[in-house]
Structure formats: structure tokens, C-alpha cells
Amino acid sequence: MPTQQLTTPQTSSRTDSAAVVVAAADVAKIAAEHARDAERDHRLAPEVVRSMLDAGFARHFVPRRHGGGAGTFEEIVRAVSVVGEGCTSAAWAASLTASLGRMAAYLPEEGQRRIWAGGPDALIVGALMPLGRARREEGGWRIGGTWPYVSVVDYADWALVCAMTTEDRPTARFFAVPRGDWRTEDTWSSVGMRGTGSNTLSVEGVFVPDELTFARDAVATGIAEGADAPCHRVPLKAVNGLCFAAPVLGAARAALAAWRDGTAPRHTSASGGLDGAAAVVLGRAAGEADAAALLLEAAARTADTGEVTALDVARNGRDCALAAELATSAVDRLFASAGTRAHQDSAPLQRHWRDAHTASGHVVLAFSAAAESYARELHPPRPAN
């Protein structure tokens, strides 16, 4: 499938980061209108991506000196979950677009100026696993590699890819590669989240100058050079789960709306009330979704302080994974009670069910690993004698 680049509006004005929450409702509406097309085409419609950029997702975490909002995690969680009520794939794209804009702020200042030379709405995608190789050359690095599952890559202006250096003591580094220096392969054929277009990106022998690379440890520890906003002083593990869990919350809310529209009328008495079994389904599913939202918003507020402890990091990882489990449980409960009508291709509920399971299956949202990390921080093992 051919790639398509969207023209990024030229702007250098600062943005109100809170506006993204309001604008998210329009993105959700447009995304819902194109959701079936996204499933068919295995990528989002250009109109959806354009609305996402216009709403301010790409610029949300961009430093203010480059025209961005340097916004909060609580704002982005709320905005992404709203988009998810229209289309989980669009919410995933919006969330990752914001997250990669934050990561690009760890580049040297000269590299940041290149990335955002045309304004803060550059669409940056990412490949976070160190699957490439980088060889040191004068003034930069020669890199190559293949990275699967790069969401929204068809529309990207830049890609941040991770590679291991070939030095005596290899280290992981991120490299910013402009559109035109990579090729994509259409490999995305998932049961859910089909519209994310998470295809494979390959780079062969591309030279990346020093201003377009940074050590993975920088973003892992949350140390951005010259950071003047809390969002650029937070370790990746404290916030990575928010990026992937917020779309699942959106899917749960979308499933609740679909269930009330399609299933509830068949379990309503003449007086307008739900029968007992249906009322229990609705009450518990809504409660699970609400609990997931509370967990994510609390984790986001912790990250927004810009000063988190190791225990905060572990707790946030635990709570994001638990929130995804709760949201997926809500969708399961609704889908199981909806009968065979919900299994039809035309039924929105089955899409929300597939999307929730695919999104919550991301390795970052694995609860067992997150729980173990939390337990080790809360009860560290005794040192060996």
C-alpha cells in the first residue's frame, strides 16, 4: 500500500495544551465515521490523521520554545480516551503521536530545531525495540535495521528508531530518520486495531548526524537536556503505560455506548427499566470503566509533578496494567451478554471487543510483570550475606 504524507501547517505560535481535550471530541466524531474504512484499509483515513494533528496531539508534549504545549499527562489521557470512544485505532495513533513528540525532546537542541523546523505538528512515529545496528562514523552514525509494528508509519514525517551501537561496549541509542530514508512493508494484519497501520519499517545504511540521536538511557531515566517542563523530566516507565492504556479505556466507553444502543432496548420493561441481569451487567461494566479511568488519571497526575520516586514509577506501571485489565473486562462482560447480534461484522460492539483485546495485549500492559516490579520496590529482597 502506498504511503501518504500530510502537509504539516507552518506555525511557530505556542499552543494551549488543554485545548486538545476539547478538540478530541471532533476527532472522535470523524474517526467514528471512518472506522469501518480503517478496518478495511488497515490504516486510518487521511481525514482522521489530519483531524488528529489539527487537534494538537502531535504538538502536545513538544517544548514551548518550538511552538508546542509542553502539556500534561492528565490532559492527554483524557483526550486519547475521548478519541477512543469513536475509534480505538485513532486513539492509539493520537496517543503514540503525542508520546513520540515527547521523546523527540530528548534530542540535542540542533536536532529538535530540525524536527520542528516547519512547526510543532510534525508527525513522529517510533520503533522502541533496539532491533537495528549503528556504526560510528565521523560526525554521526551509519544505521540499518528492520522494525515491525510501527503505527501510523504511512503518514509519518520522522521516525525514531532504536539501534545497538557496534562499539566494544554496545549501547542502545535512538535515531531520528526523516521520511524518504526508510521503506515500509505492508505487514499489519491483526484481528483488532486494524486501523493503526502498524507496518514494518526498514532502514539500510542511512547516515544519521549526531544532532539527530540520543542515548536510550536519557529517556529511560527522564533526563532531557535543558528541560523546563515536568513532562520532560519523567522516566519513560512512569508514563509508557498511559500511552497504551488510555485507548483501551476509550474502547470500554465505546462498548458501553454500543451496548446501551443495541442490547439494552431488548432488556427494557414497559416502564423503561432494565431487567435485573442486564442492570448488573451495565452497572459492573460501567464501574470497571470508571475505575480504570480513576487509575489512569491518578497515575497521570503523579507523572505531572515531574518528580517521581522509584516506587511511583512501579505503581504507575501497575496501575496502567490494571486499568487496561479492568477496561477489557468491561468490554468482555458487555460482549458476552449481547448475544449473537453483537457478533455480526456490522456490529460496533465486536470491533470494540477485538480492539480492546489487541491493545491490552501490548507487552507494556502485562500485569504480572508490572505487579512484580511494584512488589520488588515495596518489599525489596534482602541483600546476600
Side-chain angles (χ1 to χ4, degrees):
M1 186 175 294
T3 61
Q4 179 171 352
Q5 186 174 26
L6 298 176
T7 302
T8 302
Q10 300 290 312
T11 177
S12 59
S13 61
R14 293 184 178 182
T15 183
D16 175 10
S17 64
V20 72
V21 181
V22 177
D26 289 333
V27 182
K29 181 176 183 296
I30 295 169
E33 292 169 353
H34 291 276
R36 296 198 68 180
D37 292 341
E39 288 241 303
R40 180 196 64 211
D41 298 337
H42 286 196
R43 68 170 185 171
L44 298 174
E47 297 89 339
V48 176
V49 180
R50 169 49 56 206
S51 71
M52 178 184 76
L53 296 177
D54 290 344
F57 282 96
R59 77 185 74 155
H60 183 74
F61 288 121
V62 173
R64 294 187 182 93
R65 63 184 178 275
H66 297 298
T72 71
F73 293 100
E74 187 173 8
E75 289 164 349
I76 208 66
V77 163
R78 290 178 181 273
V80 166
S81 62
V82 169
V83 175
E85 295 180 43
C87 172
T88 317
S89 290
W92 187 271
S95 190
L96 288 177
T97 297
S99 179
L100 268 297
R102 188 185 86 90
M103 289 181 63
Y106 287 79
L107 287 165
E109 183 61 28
E110 184 179 349
Q112 293 182 42
R113 287 196 295 267
R114 285 189 59 180
I115 292 281
W116 293 303
D121 292 320
L123 201 166
I124 307 168
V125 298
L128 306 189
M129 296 299 293
L131 302 180
R133 292 292 179 266
R135 185 181 72 252
R136 183 67 177 160
E137 294 186 2
E138 184 177 356
W141 303 80
R142 186 74 58 180
I143 73 167
T146 298
W147 294 265
Y149 311 129
V150 183
S151 300
V152 213
V153 66
D154 287 347
Y155 294 103
D157 299 306
W158 290 84
L160 271 179
V161 298
C162 192
M164 296 297 297
T165 65
T166 58
E167 303 163 307
D168 291 339
R169 294 184 178 180
T171 58
R173 297 189 67 86
F174 281 105
F175 299 87
V177 182
R179 182 185 181 89
D181 281 358
W182 72 73
R183 61 180 177 84
T184 58
E185 183 181 355
D186 190 352
T187 56
W188 184 240
S189 182
S190 175
V191 68
M193 302 290 286
R194 292 174 178 172
T196 61
S198 302
N199 290 313
T200 297
L201 178 154
S202 295
V203 173
E204 297 178 6
V206 169
F207 179 77
V208 179
D210 285 330
E211 65 265 24
L212 291 177
T213 179
F214 61 91
R216 186 175 65 173
D217 282 349
V219 71
T221 57
I223 302 173
E225 183 178 347
D228 59 359
C231 64
H232 301 136
R233 301 196 305 265
V234 183
L236 180 62
K237 284 188 176 180
V239 296
N240 210 19
L242 294 171
C243 173
F244 301 109
V248 187
L249 172 59
R253 289 172 171 169
L256 280 162
W259 189 91
R260 291 181 67 184
D261 289 343
T263 303
R266 303 199 306 273
H267 298 274
T268 301
S269 67
S271 63
L274 286 174
D275 64 42
V280 170
V281 168
L282 178 61
R284 186 171 291 277
E288 288 169 327
D290 287 347
L294 290 172
L295 286 169
L296 294 181
E297 290 167 10
R301 286 192 294 271
T302 296
D304 283 331
T305 66
E307 302 291 339
V308 296
T309 65
L311 182 58
D312 290 332
V313 171
R315 183 185 292 110
N316 272 16
R318 178 204 68 184
D319 288 353
C320 289
L322 181 56
E325 277 197 2
L326 286 167
T328 304
S329 175
V331 180
D332 282 344
R333 192 177 311 282
L334 297 163
F335 185 64
S337 72
T340 55
R341 296 185 186 184
H343 292 250
Q344 303 303 306
D345 284 342
S346 59
L349 189 52
Q350 56 82 26
R351 172 166 56 84
H352 305 320
W353 179 75
R354 289 186 288 106
D355 286 348
H357 276 273
T358 297
S360 63
H362 195 283
V363 63
V364 170
L365 298 177
F367 182 75
S368 58
E372 288 176 8
S373 295
Y374 172 74
R376 283 194 296 270
E377 285 296 331
L378 199 61
H379 295 286
R382 294 188 181 91
N385 293 330

